[in-house]
Amino acid sequence: MDVIDRPVLAGASERAGAPAFEGFVRTGQTLELKAFTGVTGDAGGYALPREIDAAIDRALASISPIRRIANVVKVGSAGYRKLVTTGGTPSGWAAETDARPGTATPVFQEVVPPSGELYANPSASQAMLDDAAFDVEAWLADEIATEFARAEGAAFVTGSGVNRPKGFLTNPVSAAADATRAFGTLQYLASGAAGDFAANPQERLIDLVQALRAPYRQGASFVMNAATVARLRKFKTSDGAFIWQPGLAAGQPATLLGYPVVEAEDMPDVAANSLSIAFGNFRLGYLIAERSDTAILRDPYSNKPFVGFYATKRIGGCVVNAEAIKVMKFAAS
C-alpha cells in the first residue's frame, strides 16, 4: 500500500523516529508553540472579520420647515403662472325698483414663481457598491434627499430668485398698511430698538399679530430661528406669566400668544435692521411649485469604474399674497 506523505501538524517539527505531535500525545513532551491571536495583525488578526454597523450615523442638518406650512403645488412645466385678484369685487345696495348700475371688475395680478434646477452628482466605485458592509446606493439616495431639503428650505427664506426660488425675506418691505402698500411688498413692524426689543416686547408681538387681518390669522404661525426662540421664551407678562406655552403632547408645536411657533434655522439672528420674526398664514402667502419628485439617474457607463448618481429636482417659489405675511424689523422705526 502506498503511503501518502502529508505535511506535519502546524507548529510541530518532525523528530527522529516519530512525529513530534505523536510524542506529545504519548509522553507529554512540550512542543515549540507560536502564538496565533487577533491582537496583532500579522499573528492572525488580519483573518478576523471586522464588524461594521450597517446604519451610518450622521450629523443631522437643519432643514427649514417652510415646505410644511406653505402651499405646495405640482406643475407640469416650468412656465407656471398664478393669478391673484386685488381689491375684490365691489358691490352696492339698491331698492327693489332701483336701477342696477355696473360695478367695477376685480384687478388681476400675475405671479410667476422663479424656479431653478437643484442637482447633485456624487459617484462611487463599483467595487465599493459590491463590497461595502451597508447599502451604499440607499445611503447616497438618503444623503441627496437630505441635502435637497436643506438647500430648498434656505431658498424659500432667503433665495435670490435667480435660478432658484425667491425667498419671502427678499421681497421689498414697507411700514405702510395693506390698503396702501404696493403689490408684493411685505409690511413690517419695528421692534422699537436697533437690534433688540424696546420696553414691553410682548406688546410689540401683539401688534405684529394684530397687523395680520382676521381672515389670515386662522392658520397663521410664527417663524423664527432657535436663537430668537430662546429670547422669546424668557418673556413674561406683568403678572409673571410666560407668554410662551410649550406643546402639551409629543409632536404638538409650542405656541406664542396662542399661535404655533415654527423653528426655521435659515431665519436671521436678531441684529440691527434684521427681519428675524415672521408671522403669517404661509399657506395663503407663499407658493412652492415643483415639477416632480426628485429624479435619480444611475450612470455606470460614463466614468468607469465609477457609478454616478445624477439627481435633479426642478422647483420654484415666491410670495403670492403679501398681505398674508408680516415681519418684525429690529429697528427703532
Side-chain angles (χ1 to χ4, degrees):
M1 181 175 62
D2 294 334
V3 178
I4 301 176
D5 291 331
R6 293 183 175 89
V8 298
L9 192 65
S13 58
E14 292 193 61
R15 298 179 186 273
F21 183 70
E22 182 180 346
F24 170 74
V25 172
R26 292 181 180 275
T27 66
Q29 189 176 5
T30 304
L31 300 174
E32 181 184 358
L33 300 178
K34 298 291 185 183
F36 188 68
T37 70
V39 177
T40 57
D42 57 1
Y46 295 136
L48 300 181
R50 264 59 172 174
E51 184 170 329
I52 299 178
D53 190 350
I56 306 301
D57 289 339
R58 66 160 177 259
L60 296 178
S62 295
I63 300 173
S64 178
I66 300 301
R67 170 182 283 272
R68 177 164 53 85
I69 59 176
N71 181 25
V72 181
V73 297
K74 299 286 186 180
V75 299
S77 67
Y80 179 76
R81 303 286 191 275
K82 184 176 180 63
L83 295 179
V84 179
T85 61
T86 58
T89 303
S91 59
W93 294 94
E96 180 180 354
T97 58
D98 286 351
R100 269 64 170 179
T103 58
T105 58
V107 176
F108 287 93
Q109 298 282 352
E110 184 183 56
V111 176
V112 183
S115 64
E117 191 165 82
L118 191 59
Y119 82 95
N121 192 21
S123 61
S125 69
Q126 186 61 56
M128 179 68 176
L129 298 177
D130 293 340
D131 300 341
F134 59 96
D135 189 341
V136 176
E137 294 192 43
W139 172 72
L140 273 175
D142 185 58
E143 288 292 303
I144 290 171
T146 300
E147 171 57 23
F148 277 14
R150 185 207 60 77
E152 71 175 23
F156 298 151
V157 177
T158 59
S160 65
V162 179
N163 297 325
R164 71 195 63 195
K166 183 176 177 64
F168 65 89
L169 288 187
T170 58
N171 277 57
V173 296
S174 168
D178 289 347
T180 57
R181 270 193 338 276
F183 180 79
T185 301
L186 300 181
Q187 182 183 5
Y188 77 84
L189 278 79
S191 66
D196 203 352
F197 283 100
N200 299 320
Q202 60 270 18
E203 294 182 4
R204 299 284 178 170
L205 294 172
I206 292 173
D207 291 340
L208 180 64
V209 169
Q210 295 305 126
L212 190 69
R213 292 189 287 115
Y216 298 117
R217 287 201 297 270
Q218 301 297 322
S221 58
F222 285 95
V223 178
M224 63 192 81
N225 68 17
T228 308
V229 167
R231 281 171 164 259
L232 269 57
R233 291 192 66 169
K234 302 169 187 175
F235 291 163
K236 298 179 181 179
T237 60
S238 57
D239 58 359
F242 286 99
I243 63 174
W244 175 280
Q245 293 296 323
L248 299 179
Q252 183 178 355
T255 58
L256 180 64
L257 300 176
Y259 294 93
V261 177
V262 177
E263 287 190 30
E265 291 308 308
D266 298 298
M267 292 290 290
D269 292 333
V270 173
N273 297 318
S274 66
L275 304 174
S276 301
I277 300 176
F279 177 74
N281 189 322
F282 284 80
R283 196 162 300 280
L284 298 177
Y286 195 84
L287 174 71
I288 297 172
E290 58 183 3
R291 174 68 176 82
S292 62
D293 294 330
T294 303
I296 299 181
L297 175 65
R298 188 180 190 275
D299 179 16
Y301 307 110
S302 301
N303 187 25
K304 299 184 186 69
F306 294 95
V307 178
F309 296 89
Y310 178 58
T312 57
K313 185 175 188 177
R314 193 183 306 168
I315 189 167
C318 69
V319 172
V320 292
N321 186 349
E323 294 183 0
I325 301 174
K326 308 293 181 183
V327 292
M328 178 165 284
K329 184 178 182 179
F330 282 81
S333 61

